[in-house]
Amino acid sequence: MSHVFSAVVEKQAAACAPAEAGAEVALLYSGGADSSLAACILAKSFRKVHLNTFSRPGFMACGFSGVHYERMRERFPETEFIHRQIPAGRFYAEVEGRGRWRAFGRHGLLVLNSCGHCKTALHWRNLIFCLQNGVKYAADGAVTGAEEFAEQNPRILMPELAALYAAFGITLLHPSYGEGLVTEPELYALGISPQSKIKMTRKDMQVVCSQQILFAMMMRCLLVGRDFPEYERLARAYLSEKLETIKRETRLWLDNPGAGTRIARLLRD
Amino acid sequence: MQQPLITIEGGKPKKRLGLVSSWLICAIALPLPVRARIYFVFLVNFIYNHVLATTRLIISFLGRRFADAMIFLAYYLVLGPLALFGRLLRPSRSAAAPGGAFFSDKEPQDSTAERFERQY
């Protein structure tokens, strides 16, 4: 079946195409417009797309992520979509809670960067998934214009996350991240979403997070007397330390399979 | 439905109350253990994005409908009943048509012929 992609989506799909045929990709999937369009773009060149919806305390309505999944399966029958929910609460607690007071001494209020901790933890869990299942490509639903979120900001966490995956031989892709790419109308044109404007409406069927408000409050306090570039610099320094810890722990887990490493304990249950 | 972040526009609250509440929430959240912090933020989110938002919607709705509601209430609950009672309680000035004088004394219905004869 052929699909009519717009020029900008075709460009993104070409940029995300894997070198080898029959490759698999593990996508951080919330069910929203951005990650759903990312899944459609990946469906063009990947044989199997793992739609990993992560759950943790504070997330609500994780089941909403199944709505677009069903439509994508009908729309792209030649691609195998596998949708699963993976608990990541322990990874979040580890990222947020470990060395908190020491970090508070060095980075101040940034230790309340709940969205940064969350996305870091979800990428960590996705990395573990890739390593467990031999998946060589990972992807997320990052878009332009959401620079306040560390994992969608090229000056905070985007290059650091790519480096984290690359350290373990995995390529991180951002299919929905392109200048001039507006996800909602593209998703509507592909016949996945029921209307061209779904964000912040009742048709926006995706995981709902109740914790963003703490991030918003932290931003309010941090940006008094600072400009946004300074926030970006501070956030990058703070979250890079977290990623270094993650890299060290993951390496330890790979080198000691079955041993009582921290990741082995986090994966238990 | 995902709620919009409060401070997407750049983070700086426009009012002092917003900044004070932000500091207060951060100060409470900071020492809490991770699990307790999650529940605390869940509660704050419920208050900000549901209770306060719903209250604002109700006040906004009432604000738009206030004039209509006041005219409705003033007419049907105050002016209307007052006019009705005023009319019922007013003594009649007309001997021929005492219809408005509901509580005034009336002659018996069968006295018309007697009154006619009395003049002669």
Side-chain angles (χ1 to χ4, degrees):
Chain A
M1 183 186 283
S2 65
H3 305 286
V4 181
F5 289 99
S6 68
V8 64
V9 172
E10 287 283 2
K11 187 178 161 193
Q12 287 299 115
C16 294
E20 66 274 22
E24 301 180 20
V25 60
L27 171 68
L28 278 84
Y29 184 68
S30 69
D34 303 337
S35 58
S36 293
L37 182 65
C40 294
I41 292 171
L42 294 169
K44 193 172 167 59
S45 44
F46 283 88
R47 181 181 58 83
K48 190 185 280 188
V49 180
H50 299 273
L51 304 175
N52 291 342
T53 300
F54 296 99
S55 61
R56 71 168 182 87
F59 281 3
M60 296 176 290
C62 290
F64 283 180
S65 58
V67 174
H68 286 165
Y69 159 68
E70 295 294 345
R71 293 193 189 126
M72 286 189 296
R73 281 182 66 190
E74 295 167 9
R75 193 82 176 82
F76 300 94
E78 69 274 24
T79 306
E80 186 181 357
F81 290 101
I82 300 172
H83 183 219
R84 59 173 66 78
Q85 288 191 26
I86 302 175
R90 289 181 169 197
F91 285 80
Y92 174 78
E94 177 71 15
V95 171
E96 179 154 300
R98 189 176 185 186
R100 182 163 48 133
W101 291 112
R102 204 169 54 246
F104 177 63
R106 284 204 303 273
H107 302 282
L109 276 182
L110 275 168
V111 297
L112 295 177
N113 191 341
S114 54
C115 289
H117 295 153
C118 182
K119 285 300 168 60
T120 304
L122 301 191
H123 271 286
W124 188 14
R125 185 65 188 87
N126 199 49
L127 171 66
I128 301 291
F129 173 86
C130 290
L131 293 172
Q132 285 176 320
N133 295 278
V135 178
K136 293 293 178 192
Y137 292 88
D140 64 11
V143 293
T144 55
E147 276 79 17
E148 66 275 17
F149 296 111
E151 82 287 355
Q152 301 185 61
N153 187 322
R155 292 170 299 280
I156 305 180
L157 213 51
M158 284 179 84
E160 304 288 339
L161 281 171
L164 172 69
Y165 280 98
F168 297 95
I170 296 164
T171 306
L172 176 63
L173 305 169
H174 308 293
S176 300
Y177 193 89
E179 286 300 325
L181 178 60
V182 186
T183 54
E184 291 172 274
E186 296 288 352
L187 202 63
Y188 177 64
L190 286 170
I192 304 298
S193 60
Q195 57 196 45
S196 60
K197 171 70 184 159
I198 57 170
K199 285 184 180 177
M200 305 301 166
T201 71
R202 289 188 186 281
K203 303 281 185 185
D204 193 6
M205 302 299 279
Q206 65 169 318
V207 177
V208 178
C209 180
S210 65
Q211 305 290 300
Q212 286 187 348
I213 194 165
L214 182 61
F215 173 71
M217 295 296 166
M218 180 215 69
M219 290 280 280
R220 279 183 172 185
C221 299
L222 267 183
L223 289 172
V224 174
R226 289 188 186 89
D227 54 9
F228 198 76
E230 190 180 354
Y231 159 74
E232 290 176 325
R233 189 177 55 75
L234 295 172
R236 181 169 188 162
Y238 170 63
L239 292 171
S240 294
E241 283 184 13
K242 296 283 181 189
L243 289 183
E244 275 306 312
T245 308
I246 287 171
K247 195 185 289 184
R248 197 169 54 246
E249 293 292 343
T250 308
R251 185 70 66 195
L252 197 65
W253 174 66
L254 283 176
D255 293 342
N256 300 279
T261 58
R262 193 174 288 271
I263 292 180
R265 285 198 296 277
L266 294 176
L267 287 172
R268 214 169 286 151
D269 303 329
Chain B
M1 189 175 101
Q2 190 78 43
Q3 297 288 346
L5 273 180
I6 287 178
T7 56
I8 289 287
E9 75 278 5
K12 294 173 188 171
K14 294 179 177 62
K15 294 178 183 173
R16 186 168 294 184
L17 182 63
L19 184 60
V20 170
S21 68
S22 303
W23 277 109
L24 187 66
I25 288 166
C26 288
I28 295 171
L30 192 61
L32 293 177
V34 175
R35 183 57 71 103
R37 186 187 291 177
I38 289 170
Y39 290 131
F40 169 69
V41 175
F42 185 87
L43 183 69
V44 170
N45 177 67
F46 180 74
I47 292 170
Y48 265 79
N49 285 329
H50 297 275
V51 176
L52 286 185
T54 307
T55 308
R56 281 195 198 108
L57 276 177
I58 291 169
I59 290 171
S60 168
F61 178 81
L62 289 180
R64 285 198 304 274
R65 298 282 179 258
F66 186 72
D68 295 347
M70 289 311 294
I71 291 169
F72 176 86
L73 291 174
Y75 188 82
Y76 284 101
L77 297 183
V78 180
L79 296 178
L82 277 179
L84 180 64
F85 275 100
R87 191 166 171 77
L88 288 177
L89 296 173
R90 188 173 59 202
S92 173
R93 293 177 183 171
S94 167
F102 185 77
F103 296 106
S104 61
D105 294 334
K106 296 182 181 66
E107 292 180 6
Q109 287 182 346
D110 58 354
S111 65
T112 308
E114 184 186 341
R115 193 173 68 233
F116 181 75
E117 289 170 353
R118 203 187 302 153
Q119 298 181 61
Y120 304 99

